[in-house]
Each structure stands twice: as C-alpha cells, then as structure tokens.
Amino acid sequence: MMNTKKIFKWTGIIFGLILLFLIASNFIWLNERENLLYKMQQYVTYSKEDWKNYETNEKYLENTPTEVAQTSVASAAVTDFHPYNIGFFTGNEKTEELKRIKDAHFEKLIPAKNKPSDEDVQAALIRLTQGRLTDVIINQKLNIKVGQCYENPNTEGNYNCVSCMILLYNRDKKDWQEAPDGDNFLDNSYDFYQPSEGDIWEAKNLSIMIPYDYELIKKYEKK
C-alpha cells in the first residue's frame, strides 16, 4: 500500500513539473539560440549584472548583419602574429621567440590614439563569433578587456584599423583567465576597425605582430 502511495506521489510530482514546463513555454520568450530549460535557468540563477550583460549582448546581436559576421569568421590568418608571454618559453623555443620579437621591431609601432573601449571590443567580438561569446559572457560571468592598441596600416579600405591584445575577466573571481572554459574559440589579440569615421568597431584576425601586454595582465590579475 505504501509503495502504491509513493508511486502516485511521484507520478503527481512529475506530472506537475511537466504541466509547469508546458505552461512556462507559452509565456517565456525565447530566441533562436535558446531553449526553455536554458531560459528557466536564467530566471533562477541570474543576478542584476548578468541580466544587464544579457540585454546588452542581445542588442548587439540584433543590430548585426549575419553575413558580415560570417565573412569575418571565414577569413583566417596564415601567419601567427599573436603575442606570447616570454616567460612560458624555455631553451631553444625561448631563443626563437626572442628573435621573432627582435625582428618584429616593436619600437616602430605607433600607439593608437583612437581605440575601441572594452564595450566596443566585446560587441565586435560577439559579432565576429556570431554570438558564441554571448553565452560565455553570461554563463561563465566573463567580460572582455582590451589593452594597448597600435596603429595598423592594413586598413583594407576602412577608415582606420588598430591591433590590440585582449583578455577575459571573470566577474566572480575578480581575476583574468586565458580562455573560456570548454571550447577555446578566442584568440588573445585582434584587429579592430571602423568602416567609416565614427562608425562602430568591428573585429577581424590579427594582421601585424604586437607585443605581449604585460600591463593588461597586471591590471586585471587578482589583487
């Protein structure tokens, strides 16, 4: 008899959850990148800051032409221009990296006076990654921070172009991290450009060598 009561009890609970799920599906708005379970998780776990980031990122995506993002992602750099922390190298690899840095003649780089803000860079990378970055920003509580930018002559017909190193800042841990948890689809540096004067910043693959931004790391490391 007790077993029968337990069965009825659990059947009732499961039925109630299914009913609640179906009711919620009629009242909760979803976009094409979300499912109902994900949305319900948002309502249960999100803080005010998480909702603010979510709404900001959704606005970025709404104003982004899909074909522009696809074109940007499709282009791939042949040469590795990305900067690396020299402290991670040893032996011959360190010697080769030091030579690569010397041959790059960083002293000729011109610091950019007109550069994108953290928000500009984050929005540009959301568009470049076709929204993949949005989930990282929300679910992993990460934000993009940008460091020193340098003038880049490879404007490709755009109004201007700069090259900058970026990092991911964890809002919960108050510390930077090198890559998102899981699939690492981000580089540590990109070109950012404005198609015309005063236009929004867009992102593309890095096209010149720039130095590793130790000051950026120091600024956002946990104190």
Side-chain angles (χ1 to χ4, degrees):
M1 187 69 177
M2 288 296 293
N3 288 337
T4 303
K5 286 183 178 179
K6 285 184 178 180
I7 291 171
F8 279 123
K9 178 181 178 181
W10 283 108
T11 301
I13 291 172
I14 293 170
F15 179 77
L17 289 172
I18 293 173
L19 184 63
L20 181 63
F21 188 84
L22 292 173
I23 293 172
S25 66
N26 291 314
F27 292 96
I28 298 178
W29 178 84
L30 302 173
N31 63 41
E32 66 276 8
R33 297 179 303 280
E34 300 171 337
N35 57 50
L36 185 57
L37 286 175
Y38 172 80
K39 200 68 179 180
M40 291 176 74
Q41 178 194 7
Q42 282 183 299
Y43 282 107
V44 172
T45 62
Y46 274 19
S47 64
K48 287 183 179 179
E49 186 178 3
D50 292 330
W51 278 116
K52 183 179 178 182
N53 272 288
Y54 173 81
E55 290 167 2
T56 300
N57 295 332
E58 286 299 312
K59 288 178 182 177
Y60 290 150
L61 291 172
E62 286 173 7
N63 297 325
T64 302
T66 305
E67 59 271 16
V68 172
Q70 290 174 339
T71 302
S72 300
V73 172
S75 60
V78 176
T79 306
D80 183 10
F81 294 109
H82 299 93
Y84 297 98
N85 187 336
I86 194 66
F88 293 158
F89 293 91
T90 58
N92 290 335
E93 288 184 348
K94 185 171 185 177
T95 301
E96 291 175 5
E97 181 63 15
L98 287 170
K99 184 180 184 303
R100 191 174 82 106
I101 291 172
K102 181 180 178 181
D103 292 344
H105 295 288
F106 289 148
E107 71 277 3
K108 295 182 179 180
L109 290 175
I110 302 172
K113 293 181 180 179
N114 179 26
K115 56 171 280 189
S117 66
D118 293 336
E119 291 75 18
D120 291 331
V121 165
Q122 184 165 289
L125 290 175
I126 286 173
R127 291 189 288 271
L128 181 70
T129 61
Q130 301 181 59
R132 290 181 71 190
L133 182 58
T134 305
D135 287 336
V136 170
I137 292 169
I138 294 171
N139 294 326
Q140 298 184 31
K141 298 184 183 293
L142 299 175
N143 281 110
I144 301 293
K145 302 295 183 182
V146 64
Q148 176 66 62
C149 295
Y150 300 92
E151 298 287 350
N152 186 331
N154 302 324
T155 59
E156 299 178 351
N158 294 297
Y159 173 70
N160 69 347
C161 182
V162 298
S163 299
C164 325
M165 185 170 139
I166 64 163
L167 60 71
L168 291 163
Y169 180 72
N170 190 301
R171 302 191 299 273
D172 270 359
K173 298 177 181 178
K174 309 296 182 187
D175 197 7
W176 74 281
Q177 62 185 67
E178 196 159 356
D181 297 335
D183 183 21
N184 181 16
F185 56 90
L186 287 173
D187 293 325
N188 72 348
S189 44
Y190 290 89
D191 287 351
F192 297 96
Y193 65 94
Q194 290 176 297
S196 59
E197 186 175 3
D199 208 343
I200 61 172
W201 290 91
E202 299 291 355
K204 61 188 180 75
N205 290 312
L206 189 68
S207 62
I208 62 171
M209 279 189 65
I210 59 174
Y212 190 84
D213 198 336
Y214 296 96
E215 288 300 317
L216 177 65
I217 301 298
K218 184 178 180 181
K219 181 178 179 180
Y220 290 104
E221 65 185 3
K222 193 167 186 176
K223 302 298 189 289

